Amino acid sequence: MIDDDDSVRRALQRLLRSVGWAVASFASGKDFLDALPSNPIDCIILDLQMPGLSGLEVLTRLACMNSRTPVIILTGHDSVAAREQAGQAGAAKFLCKPVDDRELLDSIQQAIAPAS
């Protein structure tokens, strides 16, 4: 998970760990991209509005790397343009903060489920 807000990262870590998922969290897109080669990841939860690299920039870089890891956008800044850009860059889902726990968990499960 990548979010510059420490309280959001802590809350999401608790939620994801409560269902038995391992969680790695990063405070910036740069920190995440620097760690990416050494950390296999099943799903990425990505904030859009962050200092330095924005979530859309991270998503674009992942696409350039031919990453197949599903990305769920979780943002407090919803807009039609952001939804369109995220979709074009390959986001699996676009969710708005505050997010319902069940909706987030279901979205992750759908994103990591093997294609039928």
Side-chain angles (χ1 to χ4, degrees), residues 24-96:
S25 67
F26 302 89
S28 74
K30 181 186 180 320
D31 291 347
F32 167 74
L33 291 171
D34 288 347
L36 186 60
S38 63
N39 291 330
I41 298 170
D42 294 322
C43 185
I44 299 166
I45 300 170
L46 177 61
D47 185 21
L48 286 183
Q49 300 292 326
M50 296 184 292
L53 291 175
S54 73
L56 287 174
E57 289 171 315
V58 171
L59 193 56
T60 299
R61 288 189 186 192
L62 288 169
C64 289
M65 296 164 55
N66 296 316
S67 172
R68 296 177 158 257
T69 305
V71 176
I72 296 173
I73 300 296
L74 182 59
T75 184
H77 302 279
D78 188 17
S79 73
V80 172
R83 284 177 181 269
E84 288 175 357
Q85 289 174 323
Q88 290 170 355
K93 189 81 171 182
F94 191 103
L95 302 173
C96 295

